[in-house]
Amino acid sequence: MAPIKNARTIFNSIPAGFLEPGKTTVYDDSKTIDIEDVAPNGGYIVKTLVLSIDPYMRGRMRSADIESLTGYGVGVVVRSENVEVKKGDHVYGMLSHEEYSIHQSLKGEGLVVIFNEHNLPWSAYVGVTGMPGKTVYMAWKEYSHAKKGENAFISAGGGPVGSFVIQLAKLDGLKVIASAGSNEKLKFMKSIGADIAFNYKTTKTADVLSREGLVDVLVGLSISLIRKLTLTRYWDNVGGETLDAALVAASNGARFIECGMISGYNNGGTPVNNMMMVVAKSITMSGFIVFRIEHKYQDEFYAKVPAMVASGELKYTEEVTNGLDKVGDAILAVQKG
């Protein structure tokens, strides 16, 4: 077999603020690979099908010694000398941002074979049934201690993480306030059950959480009811000013689940001024990295969540960008919300 192109996107330089496609990340199509002649040395060759672009990727752009850009992805095995996998198997885990990659093991490289019993799109396995979905399902199980009738606030509620949190909160009987950065996302949040949805770019979070100026974002709630809302659960993807507002609005004994703080990823960090509220209101704040709790919930996750997606009980959206040459643009779009 003649060599074929093995294009890739590499991490080229550490950004000072927002990354610059073409400078921070560089598309390189100069490499080739001969699938039949290359030596896997007892391993296997994977053709990349889909890759996930996630907020955490910005935080990994810290060392000029790292060239390989990696992310959660799904690929298909095109050749194997490894008894763990066979040609045609689909694998999920951390993959390089390149068309083909050579691997020596599954567990040793954090990869698993996906059987896709519900015939979902492969892209779902890097989103709602992949790492973002695990992040939500497992952390909500571990930290929310949700009770019917409580009130939850979810920042970045229009994304893959936030939208899943909205649906879990509604399944648990909570009233949900959610924010996002576009009118399209507001419509989606409302469609999946958010009681109050607002655009943080045009409406101050503090105003919403202090029950002011809510008429244009009401979803089936009266002003009198909104004025009685007290924040008991907060899922934080944003940090900064949004976290500050949530701390002020929190009730005594509120629980904060700290999933991310994207407002500070590209500017050296965004100050939070109201941390004393954690003491004054006996707030429990739980930060987490999903792989540290994954072992507790992985089997349950795969037994329940793909079926929920297939049945339509759990809804999701995707924004698909085609081509490794667009990786830098996609990362930048995620960072800018």
Side-chain angles (χ1 to χ4, degrees):
M1 181 178 179
I4 56 176
K5 183 175 69 174
N6 189 18
R8 60 180 182 160
T9 294
I10 62 173
F11 170 45
N12 185 61
S13 65
I14 302 171
F18 284 103
L19 67 94
E20 298 180 50
K23 179 180 178 182
T24 308
T25 58
V26 174
Y27 175 68
D28 172 25
D29 63 357
S30 64
K31 291 179 62 180
T32 61
I33 186 171
D34 190 322
I35 303 298
E36 299 302 325
D37 287 344
V38 69
N41 296 319
Y44 54 99
I45 303 172
V46 172
K47 179 181 180 179
T48 303
L49 299 179
V50 289
L51 291 161
S52 178
I53 302 298
D54 298 299
Y56 75 86
M57 295 175 73
R58 174 61 181 85
R60 298 177 66 192
M61 295 178 173
R62 293 175 295 193
S63 173
D65 297 329
I66 301 173
E67 180 181 74
S68 177
L69 190 65
T70 59
Y72 285 94
V74 173
V76 60
V77 177
V78 294
R79 182 181 165 199
S80 179
E81 295 179 355
N82 189 303
V83 295
E84 293 182 296
V85 293
K86 63 183 183 299
K87 183 178 179 179
D89 282 347
H90 287 79
V91 296
Y92 163 79
M94 276 286 181
L95 297 177
S96 301
H97 281 237
E98 58 184 339
E99 293 185 33
Y100 296 90
S101 53
I102 299 174
H103 303 267
Q104 297 304 312
S105 68
L106 283 174
K107 188 175 181 180
E109 297 187 39
L111 297 170
V112 295
V113 174
I114 300 174
F115 297 101
N116 199 5
E117 298 169 352
H118 299 282
N119 198 31
L120 299 174
W122 292 116
S123 57
Y125 282 92
V126 297
V128 66
T129 59
M131 185 276 293
K134 290 181 180 181
T135 295
V136 176
Y137 187 86
M138 297 175 183
W140 189 258
K141 284 275 186 179
E142 183 79 1
Y143 303 116
S144 74
H145 305 289
K147 297 177 183 177
K148 186 176 180 179
E150 292 181 329
N151 305 300
F153 171 43
I154 295 108
S155 58
V161 170
S163 61
F164 195 167
V165 181
I166 289 171
Q167 293 174 84
L168 285 185
K170 294 306 295 181
L171 286 172
D172 282 343
L174 278 67
K175 292 183 176 68
V176 171
I177 306 167
S179 65
S182 73
N183 291 333
E184 182 181 0
K185 290 179 179 179
L186 295 191
K187 291 178 183 178
F188 177 56
M189 293 191 300
K190 292 176 184 178
S191 75
I192 58 176
D195 299 291
I196 301 171
F198 69 95
N199 187 331
Y200 71 89
K201 293 181 179 178
T202 58
T203 306
K204 280 188 171 294
T205 300
D207 290 345
V208 175
L209 296 184
S210 63
R211 311 139 190 127
E212 295 177 7
L214 293 172
V215 175
D216 59 341
V217 291
L218 285 178
V219 185
L221 291 178
S222 67
I223 289 293
S224 61
L225 177 57
I226 290 168
R227 285 176 178 159
K228 294 177 183 177
L229 287 178
T230 306
L231 185 62
T232 57
R233 298 290 182 272
Y234 174 44
W235 182 288
D236 187 17
N237 293 306
V238 175
E241 181 180 328
T242 303
L243 175 56
D244 258 339
L247 286 163
V248 172
S251 64
N252 291 336
R255 290 185 175 273
F256 282 38
I257 303 173
E258 297 301 317
C259 180
M261 297 188 179
I262 197 169
S263 66
Y265 290 176
N266 297 282
N267 58 11
T270 304
V272 177
N273 300 313
N274 294 315
M275 288 301 293
M276 185 59 194
M277 293 296 178
V278 175
V279 177
K281 297 182 177 183
S282 301
I283 296 170
T284 298
M285 300 186 78
S286 300
F288 71 98
I289 302 295
V290 67
F291 68 76
R292 293 176 183 153
I293 57 174
E294 193 171 11
H295 65 284
K296 298 175 66 173
Y297 301 104
Q298 174 132 308
D299 291 345
E300 179 183 336
F301 175 85
Y302 280 120
K304 291 185 177 182
V305 174
M308 292 171 68
V309 175
S311 70
E313 180 182 4
L314 179 61
K315 297 176 174 60
Y316 72 102
T317 60
E318 295 179 331
E319 184 172 338
V320 178
T321 301
N322 294 310
L324 285 170
D325 58 323
K326 302 295 193 301
V327 165
D329 295 318
I331 297 174
L332 180 60
V334 167
Q335 295 300 313
K336 290 195 169 183

